[in-house]
Amino acid sequence: MNAVLAAAVALTAALALGVLLLLRTRLLARRSAATAYFAGAVACAALAGSLVTPGGGAAGPEAGGPVLGAVPLGGRQVPVLVVPNRPGFNLVAVAAPDASAGTGRDRLAKGGPRPGSELTWVPVELPAGPGRVWVSAGGAVAALPVDTGRAGAAPAPAGLRGADGPECASAAAGSVLGGGAKAPAGCPADALTAADAAALRETVSFLAGRGTRAVSLAEDGSPRGRAAAAEVRGAAARAGISVSAPDASSRRPLVVTSGWAGADAAVHDVEAGRTAAEGTYLAPWLLTAPLLSPSAGQLIPLRYAPGAPAAVEYAAALAGRLPGEVPSAAGYEAWRAARGTAGPAPAKLYAAAVLYVPGSGGPAADGSAGGGHHHGGSASWLPSGMIVPVASLGTA
């Protein structure tokens, strides 16, 4: 077991011991200034969300732009996301477990969960122009106004239809939260960014520096996935590291470059013992709580701290407008791009440590934006857990 994985395991054990020894009142008393910032940001975001129309803007939904709104169901406002809100194929996400959606009361399709997200997802074909998306949950039905724009507008990105459509929709939601009127032109899985390519190379160099001579690689066939796998294989070849497919017998570091769906399968395979792994090294775009929560020894290279003020502000904005959903790397990057605040930064390797503490809520005591479950108007990067830096990564 390498030193970083051992440190991550030790961190989890230390957290467990700390929870057993400290009373909840003590934990609450130790909340940092970052926690107070998060609480204030959530309140502001929730207030801002209450001042807009269901379509997400003061004058109604933007024609041909993503809709982030809510509908009254069962005595409460249920958040709804429609992406890309253009004629043809759309993904509708509803913050209710038994939701259906469609273009009429009698034309509803039942939704279901998707990897990497906490929402219920429903594919819906929408006509051109003003209309409604009907949503059903808990025995109630309501309509959300939309305007998909003119016929002949650019269709939904191809990636929205695939296994990782929710990641694409998460980026669209992040753009809206950051002030963007339109969804990003494509999906995150359409291409590998230079920053993410460098982070993967740096991760392989980090492993090589610790004497690793073999890794497993979980990949997919998306354009980003193919390019990412090539980066890992190239860096591994230069470092004298062999690369093979995951299996149940060879215990070695597992590098995951697939999208949300493939990563979900990979971490659950490790947790269930179907894949042997000496740490699961996730690609940077796989930062979302459902992929960090299974017990798979997850580590991830990031160029930002999830507990930093900007990342907490994004999480609070998401909680205010789409409560029930968890933050994601795709959403945060789109949020930063819409605000013009994205920029280069050195990468660090972060470890995920998850503990479920009955009755604890809100961010972790150290300000790492952990702790608590993601419902009822609060959001964190890793509910009931922490995402902490364990090593710096060099340039590659």
Side-chain angles (χ1 to χ4, degrees):
M1 180 179 294
N2 62 44
V4 173
L5 180 59
V9 172
L11 170 65
T12 303
L15 284 172
L17 180 60
V19 169
L20 291 173
L21 294 177
L22 295 178
L23 295 175
R24 184 170 184 268
T25 53
R26 177 79 177 273
L27 287 172
L28 293 173
R30 292 179 59 196
R31 285 181 177 170
S32 67
T35 301
Y37 178 89
F38 180 86
V42 168
C44 291
L47 177 60
S50 70
L51 296 177
V52 300
T53 65
E62 176 80 15
V67 174
L68 183 53
V71 294
L73 295 172
R76 67 187 184 96
Q77 292 292 314
V78 175
V80 179
L81 171 67
V82 181
V83 177
N85 186 36
R86 295 201 289 264
F89 181 88
N90 285 261
L91 266 186
V92 176
V94 185
D98 60 341
S100 300
T103 55
R105 285 178 175 270
D106 57 347
R107 295 188 299 277
L108 298 175
K110 187 169 181 58
R114 300 281 290 273
S117 170
E118 297 291 344
L119 303 178
T120 298
W121 297 86
V122 193
V124 176
E125 293 281 336
L126 293 178
R132 296 179 178 183
V133 171
W134 288 86
V135 178
S136 170
V141 181
L144 179 74
V146 297
D147 186 348
T148 61
R150 61 180 178 80
L160 194 69
R161 296 175 176 267
D164 294 307
E167 183 192 8
C168 191
S170 181
S175 181
V176 171
L177 293 172
K182 301 289 184 180
C187 292
D190 290 345
L192 179 66
T193 67
D196 286 348
L200 292 171
R201 294 193 301 269
E202 291 163 10
T203 299
V204 174
S205 296
F206 172 84
L207 290 170
R210 276 145 185 80
T212 298
R213 288 294 168 259
V215 299
S216 299
L217 177 61
E219 54 188 304
D220 69 11
S222 69
R224 178 184 62 191
R226 293 194 300 270
E231 290 287 349
V232 170
R233 287 192 171 92
R238 291 188 293 273
I241 297 175
S242 65
V243 180
S244 59
D247 61 52
S249 59
S250 302
R251 190 171 180 81
R252 52 187 173 246
L254 171 63
V255 180
V256 183
T257 60
S258 61
W260 287 8
D264 182 76
V267 295
H268 281 99
D269 282 347
V270 173
E271 182 179 50
R274 293 185 293 269
T275 295
E278 192 176 74
T280 302
Y281 292 78
L282 302 177
W285 55 86
L286 299 175
L287 179 64
T288 180
L291 302 181
L292 299 178
S293 297
S295 180
Q298 291 92 326
L299 299 108
I300 186 167
L302 300 173
R303 299 187 185 278
Y304 51 85
V312 171
E313 185 180 353
Y314 156 70
L318 183 69
R321 294 287 302 279
L322 195 57
E325 182 61 308
V326 288
S328 71
Y332 182 47
E333 294 290 1
W335 180 84
R336 292 203 302 169
R339 291 162 59 97
T341 56
K348 292 183 178 181
L349 193 64
Y350 286 76
V354 178
L355 290 172
Y356 295 99
V357 185
S360 68
D366 68 345
S368 62
H373 291 281
H374 42 275
H375 57 75
S378 65
S380 63
W381 283 90
L382 184 58
S384 296
M386 300 173 68
I387 304 170
V388 295
V390 294
S392 296
L393 297 177
T395 58

